[in-house]
């Protein structure tokens, strides 16, 4: 069982930057970030497999968001830059302890509680 705790959310102006953190209680092959805006379905934002052998980004965040991880400290990060109003929502960290990698949420078996990102 892997417990995940997100932090780093908050209010950010359009064009601003924010870093989300995810602290895990164990190792997972793939760490992903998802978000859900009010009235919308949850969508995959970014994911990183292993030490970066495979990295995935949603088209809407390519060139603006960077996913990374610190395996030794069981942490994952999402660096968000040039934030836009459509980036607002609740962001979730997810862990896939099997061999899945990608942006499909069904591949992830552990989820954090989420952290809110508001764009002003």
């Amino acid at each position: 069982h892997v417990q995940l705790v997100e932090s780093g959310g908050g209010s950010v102006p359009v064009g601003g930057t924010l870093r989300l953190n995810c602290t895990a209680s164990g190792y997972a092959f793939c760490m992903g970030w998802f978000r859900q805006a009010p009235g919308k379905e949850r969508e995959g934002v970014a994911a990183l497999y292993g030490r970066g052998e495979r990295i995935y980004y949603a088209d809407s965040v390519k060139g603006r968001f960077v996913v990374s991880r610190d395996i030794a400290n069981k942490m994952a990060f999402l660096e968000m830059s040039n934030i836009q109003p459509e980036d607002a929502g609740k962001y979730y960290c997810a862990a896939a302890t099997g061999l899945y990698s990608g942006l499909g949420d069904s591949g992830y078996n552990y989820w954090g509680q989420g952290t809110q990102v508001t764009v002003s």
Side-chain angles (χ1 to χ4, degrees), residues 94-105:
T97 56
L99 296 179
Y100 176 80
S101 64
L103 297 179
D105 57 6

Side-chain angles (χ1 to χ4, degrees), residues 24-81:
S25 62
Y27 178 77
F29 286 106
C30 188
M31 298 296 294
W33 287 95
F34 293 77
R35 67 186 180 192
Q36 188 167 22
K40 294 188 176 181
E41 292 188 357
R42 185 169 59 191
E43 62 171 340
V45 175
L48 186 152
Y49 179 86
R51 297 180 182 276
E53 293 90 337
R54 285 171 245 160
I55 297 178
Y56 308 86
Y57 292 105
D59 287 343
S60 58
V61 306
K62 281 180 182 175
R64 300 189 298 119
F65 290 12
V66 177
V67 61
S68 61
R69 70 189 299 184
D70 177 348
I71 291 178
N73 291 301
K74 304 186 188 72
M75 295 192 72
F77 308 98
L78 185 67
E79 299 270 0
M80 306 164 62
S81 61

Side-chain angles (χ1 to χ4, degrees), residues 3-32:
Q3 292 181 315
L4 304 170
V5 178
E6 302 94 337
S7 62
S11 180
V12 59
V14 172
T17 61
L18 201 64
R19 189 177 85 162
L20 304 183
N21 311 301
C22 175
T23 302
S25 62
Y27 178 77
F29 286 106
C30 188
M31 298 296 294

Side-chain angles (χ1 to χ4, degrees), residues 96-119:
T97 56
L99 296 179
Y100 176 80
S101 64
L103 297 179
D105 57 6
S106 62
Y108 293 82
N109 45 344
Y110 297 105
W111 294 82
Q113 294 298 306
T115 185
Q116 190 69 38
V117 173
T118 303
V119 183

